[in-house]
Amino acid sequence: MALSDHLRELRARLLRSALFLIIAFIVALVFYDQLLSLVMDPYNDARAMLGDDVQTEAYIKSATGPLLLQLKLCGVAALVASSPYWLYQIWGFIVPGLHDNEKRWSYVFAAVAGPTFILGVLTGYYVLPTGLEVLIGFTPEGMQNLVEFGEYFSFLTRMLLVFGVAFEIPLFVVMLNLAGVVSGKQLGRYRAWLILGSFVFAAIATPSTDPFSMLALAVPMVVLFIVAEIIARLVDRRRGRSAMSEVGDDELSPL
């Protein structure tokens, strides 16, 4: 297509995505109470684990705070809920320009990336109460801990995003292997450094300071790296067999 046709197609896809996002935002407003309960559950669980040791309360500051809270929470929920649709629109715009081999691997990447990201987010949501318990537990005796909801919501979204993105890193390693950038043998040679790097990354990336959150992020990353190494070695072995099968009768074998 001509450049103007590509731009018209892009505009149409952006408009459809924006319309779908608006509809998802309206639906999120209807289920605002359920969304607020879902967000507050980790904090309430942390309060329950602390018991009477620390007095802590969540609050909203300023007169416009409740309205901004509702808009922000529903906006994030709409963005996440509508992500399959607007990602599909981006996908539909990019895929026609790829070669057949690139399309095949991109389909595999799209099929695995979504569930892996969701698994990371769920893991972060599961360990969040423990992280909050540790952080709030540093409150000195005789003082009350007041948690501003805007800061808490930013902390929660950052925590979940870190876990989701971290679970995608081994998948990118596999894609680099498929592209011929790294080999399974190289991954095995630097396995110890990858494991150490996973723990260092987990210690730096997790907003909380408790070791449980760090381990909950680092251990799955190490397991996924090992799985990525196994897949890379299988791909390299298959690639080597294909190269040997293409050697002619009068050509010198790689061996």
Side-chain angles (χ1 to χ4, degrees), residues 25 29 32 36 59-77 148-151 153-154:
F25 180 77
L29 289 174
Y32 169 70
L36 182 61
Y59 74 98
I60 302 173
K61 64 180 180 180
S62 77
T64 60
L67 176 62
L68 295 177
L69 160 64
Q70 187 169 0
L71 295 177
K72 185 177 181 180
L73 178 56
C74 293
V76 172
E148 201 277 317
F149 184 86
E151 296 180 357
F153 187 67
S154 298

Side-chain angles (χ1 to χ4, degrees), residues 171-215:
L171 181 59
F172 281 103
V173 173
V174 175
M175 298 303 294
L176 290 175
N177 173 257
L178 294 173
V181 178
V182 296
S183 65
K185 186 178 293 186
Q186 289 175 326
L187 293 175
R189 188 182 307 133
Y190 295 103
R191 186 187 305 124
W193 290 105
L194 290 173
I195 295 175
L196 178 62
S198 298
F199 279 89
V200 172
F201 172 82
I204 297 174
T206 48
S208 60
T209 56
D210 64 294
F212 183 76
S213 298
M214 183 195 73
L215 291 175

